[in-house]
Amino acid sequence: TVHSTGPRNSIMGNWSGFTGTITHNGTKTGSYDPSLTFANGYGIEKATLNNNQYFDNSGKNVKIGALNGTATMAGAGMYTIGGNNKDCKFEGIFKGSKLTKVGTGALSLTTLQSSIATSDVYVNGGVLSLGNAKYEENFFGLNTIRCSGEGTTLMGRTKVADVYIENGASLMPGWYTDAERYGNMMLSNVYIYEGSSLDLLLRNTRGKIISLSNITVSRNFIIKGDVNVVVGVNFTPKADVEFTLWTCSSFEKAASTKINLPELPEGFEWDTTDLWNATGILRIKASNTAVEHIAYDAIVSCEVYNLLGVKVAEFSAARYEAISKVRSEVNERGIFVVKMSADGITESVKIVK
């Protein structure tokens, strides 16, 4: 632990091999606020810094393994954060500094960074999650965010300026700490290049939308990569439900751009008729090949059989939760046939457990 009581405190020497944690606290004992200056260019790339008092890079580029805390990270140099691949959360501000995220872990920022240097923000590894959902001003001011590389993701429920997603990276609205990442991200312009993606989540209960992830782009949305959609744990399809995935002033896509969608139960299909527009709408509709089906909120009588025809379970449940109940309550592994009956209609579904 480093405890500052005034100005002009410095870290000297080569700390680049240190793998522990540096906790910086401080108490003002004189006329000047306490601070700690990192007075060399070696960095602490393998260490975790818990910064709860003013920290200054003295104009040097400083690598930090992980960053937590609530205080100011100052100095005109670049802070490169994430080298030890650990998840971290920083609630302070960057003052006059530049920022690059690296490594495989996540850096969660919760405070608007209006004092950061006027410079591009780089996300070159792991996750940068921006958690301020007031949407009153841009998280990084007018700075462009450049997110690049396989496994690299920009996340958040916030407002930002221009965003570039390239070289296999992804844009994913929502907070990193949520079990199911959902919410809206507002952007000025967004460019998603070939090989990169926009990743979205749909959530509902019995067909009623409870939340989803989407983007609002005030100007240009250009996508040459793909759109990937996943659904929440309790997702239950219903015909004629629609999801607005994005809105923008100007929309452009490549001929190769496609949307990757999860499989829907028999009787439903995705409708992308109005998707590739400035207002991108995805719908669920009844399948043209559908026969009469049990309503998805109906209570069904279930019988579960193994491949030898032996009944291994019997219960009642809502249609939309019957299959998950089989997976949780049948202890055996193998292939099973689930026979469901309600209102004079019988359906059979084969599952692998």
Side-chain angles (χ1 to χ4, degrees):
T1 297
V2 179
H3 195 90
S4 300
T5 59
R8 296 183 294 276
N9 299 289
S10 300
I11 290 184
M12 310 294 289
N14 185 351
W15 286 66
S16 60
F18 180 65
T19 59
T21 299
I22 300 173
T23 298
H24 178 216
N25 298 321
T27 303
K28 185 175 180 179
T29 59
S31 301
Y32 299 97
D33 292 330
S35 65
L36 180 66
T37 298
F38 202 90
N40 65 77
Y42 294 110
I44 45 174
E45 186 175 11
K46 299 178 181 179
T48 296
L49 173 63
N50 296 332
N51 188 48
N52 301 307
Q53 194 55 256
Y54 194 95
F55 187 98
D56 195 326
N57 63 28
S58 65
K60 297 179 174 62
N61 297 331
V62 176
K63 297 179 180 180
I64 301 173
L67 176 65
N68 302 297
T70 59
T72 297
M73 302 291 292
M78 171 80 75
Y79 286 110
T80 299
I81 299 171
N84 67 7
N85 302 319
K86 295 180 179 179
D87 291 354
C88 54
K89 180 180 180 181
F90 182 60
E91 300 174 277
I93 64 169
F94 294 93
K95 184 178 181 180
S97 309
K98 303 171 186 177
L99 176 63
T100 294
K101 168 67 179 71
V102 296
T104 58
L107 170 61
S108 297
L109 302 179
T110 61
T111 304
L112 290 176
Q113 300 296 328
S114 57
S115 298
I116 198 168
T118 302
S119 176
D120 290 353
V121 174
Y122 294 92
V123 189
N124 294 334
V127 174
L128 178 62
S129 179
L130 310 178
N132 186 296
K134 294 182 179 180
Y135 303 106
E136 295 172 352
E137 58 183 287
N138 289 345
F139 197 93
F140 290 118
L142 297 178
N143 290 352
T144 294
I145 304 175
R146 298 184 180 274
C147 186
S148 178
E150 293 284 346
T152 303
T153 305
L154 174 64
M155 298 184 63
R157 275 192 260 173
T158 192
K159 182 180 180 182
V160 294
D162 295 350
V163 170
Y164 292 81
I165 309 294
E166 53 194 345
N167 298 319
S170 63
L171 174 64
M172 182 186 298
W175 283 337
Y176 175 75
T177 53
D178 287 339
E180 292 185 332
R181 283 79 181 261
Y182 66 93
N184 175 256
M185 183 179 287
M186 300 178 67
L187 313 96
S188 297
N189 296 283
V190 59
Y191 307 87
I192 300 177
Y193 289 90
E194 184 177 1
S196 299
S197 64
L198 171 64
D199 296 346
L200 302 172
L201 169 75
L202 309 180
R203 301 173 75 218
N204 72 0
T205 298
R206 299 187 182 185
K208 181 180 178 181
I209 299 172
I210 57 172
S211 59
L212 72 157
S213 57
N214 56 17
I215 60 174
T216 302
V217 185
S218 61
R219 299 168 73 180
N220 301 306
F221 176 26
I222 299 175
I223 181 165
K224 299 181 180 181
D226 290 344
V227 178
N228 298 319
V229 173
V230 297
V231 296
V233 174
N234 296 316
F235 185 84
T236 54
K238 185 177 181 180
D240 302 320
V241 172
E242 65 179 40
F243 303 88
T244 300
L245 304 187
W246 60 75
T247 59
C248 60
S249 295
S250 175
F251 177 78
E252 179 183 332
K253 80 175 189 71
S256 59
T257 296
K258 64 181 183 297
I259 185 168
N260 299 307
L261 295 162
E263 184 177 353
L264 291 174
E266 186 179 359
F268 297 96
E269 62 183 49
W270 297 104
D271 180 2
T272 60
T273 303
D274 295 318
L275 179 64
W276 305 115
N277 299 301
T279 298
I281 297 176
L282 176 67
R283 295 185 178 90
I284 297 175
K285 66 180 182 180
S287 173
N288 293 331
T289 59
V291 296
E292 189 176 15
H293 286 281
I294 300 171
Y296 271 74
D297 57 357
I299 301 299
V300 295
S301 298
C302 298
E303 297 176 347
V304 185
Y305 297 87
N306 62 23
L307 290 186
L308 298 177
V310 177
K311 185 190 295 185
V312 296
E314 186 173 4
F315 57 85
S316 295
R319 171 63 182 86
Y320 66 87
E321 65 180 2
I323 301 304
S324 61
K325 190 168 184 179
V326 172
R327 296 187 186 280
S328 64
E329 295 193 3
V330 175
N331 295 324
E332 302 176 36
R333 293 187 176 276
I335 300 174
F336 299 92
V337 175
V338 184
K339 182 179 178 181
M340 297 172 285
S341 301
D343 302 323
I345 304 172
T346 299
E347 294 180 8
S348 294
V349 177
K350 183 184 292 185
I351 68 168
V352 178
K353 183 177 184 293

